[in-house]
């Protein structure tokens, strides 16, 4: 499965781009105050892919690096996710997926077992194989979050 993540990640972000072509007012609407809007989920995934790429590169540079939390909740406010333009986010998400996928495509058979310490939900040492599949899971999970919200508008 891990060896297919780069291809599948590209496919998923194409689906994000399609969903981000919806009415910007709808994309910015939160179903509840505790739930991110579709646009905020897309911004989050863009940033996840960029952070994951840096973590992947760190795992190739050193043995089992300890990664820092990305500040996912703070980024929503600090980066003004709700005010970003959906078309810009779609393009950035595409580019972030390409960068992440390219990093995965550079891995040799022995690299997949390199490890890094991931900070969420608690600190744990994980292989790059696990890391790639987990990132794909996040892409899919938040794609479903966006779809669910758009279906109920």
């Amino acid at each position: 499965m891990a060896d297919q993540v780069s291809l599948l990640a590209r496919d998923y972000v194409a689906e994000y781009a399609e969903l981000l072509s919806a009415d910007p007012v709808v994309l910015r609407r939160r179903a509840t105050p505790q739930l991110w809007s579709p646009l905020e989920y897309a911004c989050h995934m863009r940033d996840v892919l960029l952070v994951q790429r840096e973590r992947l590169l760190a795992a190739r540079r050193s043995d089992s690096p300890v990664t820092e939390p990305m500040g996912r909740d703070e980024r929503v406010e600090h980066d003004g996710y709700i005010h970003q333009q959906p078309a810009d986010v779609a393009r950035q998400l595409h580019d972030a997926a390409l960068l992440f996928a390219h990093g995965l495509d550079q891995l040799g058979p022995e690299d997949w077992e390199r490890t890094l310490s991931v900070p969420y939900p608690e600190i744990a040492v994980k292989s790059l194989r696990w890391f790639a599949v987990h990132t794909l899971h996040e892409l899919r999970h938040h794609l479903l979050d966006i779809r669910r919200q758009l279906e109920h508008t």
Side-chain angles (χ1 to χ4, degrees):
M1 173 67 156
D3 59 339
Q4 297 174 8
V5 169
S6 67
L7 177 63
L8 293 170
R10 291 178 183 106
D11 290 345
Y12 283 148
V13 297
E15 293 181 50
Y16 275 87
E18 184 178 318
L19 294 173
L20 286 168
S21 68
D23 179 352
V25 171
V26 172
L27 291 171
R28 289 186 172 91
R29 188 177 302 135
R30 285 185 169 197
T32 67
Q34 303 83 9
L35 198 61
W36 291 343
S37 70
L39 180 59
E40 289 168 320
Y41 276 119
C43 289
H44 169 68
M45 277 316 308
R46 173 203 56 211
D47 289 354
V48 164
L49 288 168
L50 292 171
V51 167
Q52 296 295 72
R53 176 181 181 257
E54 290 306 313
R55 290 173 174 170
L56 167 69
L57 293 172
R60 296 207 57 207
R61 283 191 309 272
S62 60
D63 292 332
S64 206
V66 176
T67 62
E68 293 294 318
M70 71 177 281
R72 67 183 188 149
D73 293 319
E74 296 84 1
R75 284 174 184 255
V76 176
E77 189 71 30
H78 294 169
D79 199 26
Y81 283 0
I82 201 72
H83 303 294
Q84 296 186 28
Q85 297 303 312
D88 293 342
V89 174
R91 186 186 66 253
Q92 294 160 358
L93 187 53
H94 172 79
D95 290 345
L98 289 178
L99 289 165
F100 178 69
H102 179 73
L104 292 175
D105 290 342
Q106 302 312 301
L107 297 177
E110 68 285 350
D111 294 323
W112 287 103
E113 299 313 315
R114 292 189 66 80
T115 60
L116 68 165
S117 293
V118 295
Y120 186 85
E122 55 191 38
I123 296 176
V125 176
K126 301 291 185 177
S127 71
L128 286 181
R129 181 176 309 287
W130 176 92
F131 176 79
V133 172
H134 175 74
T135 303
L136 186 66
H137 165 79
E138 288 296 308
L139 265 171
R140 183 176 181 279
H141 172 76
H142 291 315
L143 185 60
L144 294 174
D145 290 332
I146 292 171
R147 280 193 188 130
R148 272 189 228 111
Q149 284 196 50
L150 292 176
E151 288 171 359
H152 292 101
T153 60

